[in-house]
Amino acid sequence: MPGDLAPLPFLVLGLALAACQRDETISGYVDPETIWQLKELNGQPFPATATLTFPRMGEVAGNGPCNAFRANQSAPLPWIDMDGITATRRTCADLAAETRFLDALRVMTLAEVAGDTLLLSNDAMEEMVFRAR
């Protein structure tokens, strides 16, 4: 009956709009190919190599000094919330630096991108400064 099909156009329109929504997370504002390298942690040079990428909506990936990691991220800019960080389990001489890196990522709540600089910070005045490479 024609009356039974009336809601169908609204359902299709709703699904189409949902598929076209803009990514308001940091991944919607940075090039997914950009690798962000950690340069400073809380005002001190970071002694090891650690990186971040934002390859697609809702995803963060990167490498600590020893291991690759992934996390979910759904907070809209200027916020960031790296939820469910998982990492491989290799050991190396820089494991203490990796622990500091991953622990710091877990508590960052704000993100700011300006040119080739990514700044992650929180209300406790902790900061991570990354540069695009």
Side-chain angles (χ1 to χ4, degrees):
M1 298 183 89
D4 294 338
L5 298 178
L8 186 58
F10 293 109
L11 175 62
V12 171
L13 178 61
L15 291 173
L17 288 174
C20 294
Q21 285 183 337
R22 177 160 164 68
D23 181 1
E24 295 296 327
T25 69
I26 193 169
S27 62
Y29 291 89
V30 298
D31 182 343
E33 301 295 317
T34 299
I35 298 172
W36 300 92
Q37 185 169 346
L38 181 61
K39 294 298 184 177
E40 293 180 22
L41 178 57
N42 297 325
Q44 300 296 313
F46 192 70
T49 301
T51 63
L52 285 180
T53 63
F54 302 94
R56 60 191 138 273
M57 185 174 175
E59 186 176 327
V60 179
N63 289 293
C66 303
N67 293 284
F69 72 93
R70 291 204 173 280
N72 299 315
Q73 202 298 115
S74 59
L77 269 180
W79 298 280
I80 194 161
D81 179 16
M82 293 190 215
D83 183 40
I85 295 175
T86 58
T88 55
R89 300 182 188 271
R90 291 184 300 245
T91 61
C92 74
D94 287 331
L95 202 51
E98 177 159 304
T99 299
R100 287 183 29 236
F101 171 64
L102 293 175
D103 287 348
L105 284 178
R106 286 183 179 94
V107 299
M108 294 297 126
T109 57
L110 293 170
E112 180 181 342
V113 179
D116 70 344
T117 301
L118 166 65
L119 174 66
L120 302 182
S121 62
N122 62 26
D123 290 341
M125 305 303 288
E126 296 172 306
E127 290 184 339
M128 301 177 84
V129 178
F130 294 83
R131 298 264 191 267
R133 61 171 197 175

